[in-house]
Amino acid sequence: MTPPLAPPPPGSPSPRPPGLTLRTEVRSGDAPGVEALVRDTGFFTPDEVAVARELVDAYLTQGPSSGYRFLFAESPRGLAGYTCYGEIPATERRYDLYWIAVSATQQRGGIGRLLLRESEALIAQAGGTRVYIETSSRALYTPTQAFYTNNGYILEARLKQFYTDADDKLIYVKAL
Amino acid sequence: MTPPLAPPPPGSPSPRPPGLTLRTEVRSGDAPGVEALVRDTGFFTPDEVAVARELVDAYLTQGPSSGYRFLFAESPRGLAGYTCYGEIPATERRYDLYWIAVSATQQRGGIGRLLLRESEALIAQAGGTRVYIETSSRALYTPTQAFYTNNGYILEARLKQFYTDADDKLIYVKAL
């Protein structure tokens, strides 16, 4: 007998929080939406917030040739989270997950895990074979690091003092 | 007594090959010039050649806000080599050397070393403290890897199978 609260077995579909819908289409409102969401998480510097929005703007201006792809999660309370990913230029079907963020008011509900799994499925559908994610070594990101490890990512490299004298870059990878 | 062909002591100015001039200004002719130079080296895939040119085009369209900076070396025979570098977004004064290439017909004359040293000087002048360079693990790049090591770069990370199943990414760093 399976306990009623057992985690789903590996490979099973992620449970979708009630009322949550996913879309890949990018709309003009997503530029300010992503900016506000990323800023409100408190995880990112103003420079990083600006970059997050710029990637949405790049897609809105250039379309798919921007190289960026998006997955948005919407709940009845608005934009709940998103990912931004893309094929890494000059590689054979390797992808970068540039951004994954969940609204500060809707965290701990499985939205991040769902977005990550569904983004991996979209990458695999597009022919992608490896996904890279970069993050910071700061203590603020300890839960983020655990999130990647718990979702099958391997810490492959650490670039010491990459962001600042006290902040390394961690590079995670997952073979799909 | 110093032998007449001894290498210059560390930190001494790089000897400048006769007739070679350097400039940081980007001209419209540099877009096709860089494309031809990079293609003719035989070191880069068509995708990579396209990216090299796109960075020049980005500067010609957006100017300094593109984030890219260039150093061109010109000889009486035309464009002899160039570098493209820039501050890494969301870091504190860390720089990427995105491209360094020397014309196929003008290699082995010290132009690469001169371009690298002068680019590092420009980065240091702009406040940069660390320079990152990425390259491929393929045998074709063995001289490139030696070039970086001989110029003070440390191999800090290797991302296995990053470019293809048989081609790792090597990440070098130098603290200025």
Side-chain angles (χ1 to χ4, degrees):
Chain A
M1 233 178 86
T2 307
L5 291 175
S12 67
S14 308
R16 186 164 302 194
L20 201 77
T21 56
L22 298 178
R23 66 175 162 86
T24 56
E25 181 206 349
V26 187
R27 300 172 185 160
S28 60
D30 291 326
V34 158
E35 183 178 353
L37 184 150
V38 167
R39 188 183 54 230
D40 294 350
T41 63
F43 274 85
F44 301 102
T45 66
D47 273 4
E48 289 168 333
V49 172
V51 170
R53 178 180 177 142
E54 278 165 20
L55 303 194
V56 184
D57 284 330
Y59 188 94
L60 289 168
T61 310
Q62 305 166 43
S65 75
S66 65
Y68 302 118
R69 300 293 180 272
F70 295 86
L71 183 63
F72 297 97
E74 285 177 311
S75 79
R77 294 150 66 196
L79 187 62
Y82 86 110
T83 62
C84 173
Y85 62 92
E87 189 169 359
I88 306 173
T91 69
E92 253 181 39
R93 301 185 303 280
R94 272 56 172 167
Y95 279 69
D96 245 329
L97 188 79
Y98 299 111
W99 287 89
I100 177 166
V102 173
S103 159
T105 60
Q106 302 188 55
Q107 294 192 2
R108 302 187 175 275
I111 296 172
R113 183 185 176 87
L114 175 70
L115 278 167
L116 183 61
R117 292 295 173 93
E118 296 290 332
S119 298
E120 289 167 0
L122 290 166
I123 289 169
Q125 269 174 36
T129 55
R130 294 172 87 81
V131 181
Y132 289 89
I133 305 180
E134 300 176 352
T135 197
S136 153
S137 67
R138 283 188 292 150
L140 175 66
Y141 289 87
T142 303
T144 308
Q145 297 155 18
F147 172 72
Y148 296 139
T149 304
N150 291 339
N151 281 284
Y153 285 78
I154 304 294
L155 176 60
E156 191 173 20
R158 172 188 291 263
L159 301 183
K160 288 179 196 164
Q161 302 186 313
F162 179 87
Y163 296 107
T164 72
D165 290 350
D167 188 3
D168 305 342
K169 174 154 94 173
L170 307 180
I171 304 176
Y172 291 85
V173 66
K174 182 177 187 173
L176 298 181
Chain B
M1 234 181 84
T2 309
L5 292 175
S12 69
S14 308
R16 185 163 305 192
L20 201 76
T21 56
L22 297 179
R23 66 176 161 87
T24 56
E25 181 207 348
V26 186
R27 300 173 185 160
S28 60
D30 291 326
V34 159
E35 182 178 352
L37 184 150
V38 168
R39 187 183 54 228
D40 294 349
T41 63
F43 273 85
F44 301 101
T45 66
D47 272 5
E48 289 169 333
V49 172
V51 170
R53 178 181 177 140
E54 278 164 21
L55 303 194
V56 184
D57 285 329
Y59 188 94
L60 289 167
T61 310
Q62 304 165 43
S65 75
S66 65
Y68 302 118
R69 301 293 180 271
F70 295 86
L71 182 64
F72 297 98
E74 286 178 310
S75 80
R77 293 149 67 196
L79 186 62
Y82 86 111
T83 62
C84 173
Y85 62 91
E87 190 169 358
I88 306 174
T91 68
E92 254 181 38
R93 302 186 302 281
R94 273 55 171 169
Y95 278 70
D96 244 328
L97 187 79
Y98 299 113
W99 287 89
I100 178 167
V102 174
S103 159
T105 61
Q106 301 187 58
Q107 294 193 0
R108 302 187 173 275
I111 296 171
R113 183 185 176 88
L114 175 70
L115 279 168
L116 184 60
R117 292 293 173 93
E118 296 291 331
S119 298
E120 290 167 0
L122 290 167
I123 290 169
Q125 269 175 36
T129 55
R130 294 172 87 82
V131 181
Y132 288 89
I133 305 180
E134 301 177 351
T135 197
S136 153
S137 67
R138 281 189 292 150
L140 175 65
Y141 289 86
T142 303
T144 308
Q145 297 155 19
F147 172 73
Y148 297 139
T149 304
N150 291 340
N151 281 285
Y153 286 78
I154 305 294
L155 176 60
E156 191 173 20
R158 172 187 291 263
L159 301 183
K160 288 179 196 164
Q161 302 187 312
F162 179 88
Y163 296 107
T164 72
D165 290 349
D167 189 3
D168 305 342
K169 175 154 94 173
L170 307 179
I171 304 175
Y172 291 85
V173 67
K174 183 177 187 173
L176 297 182

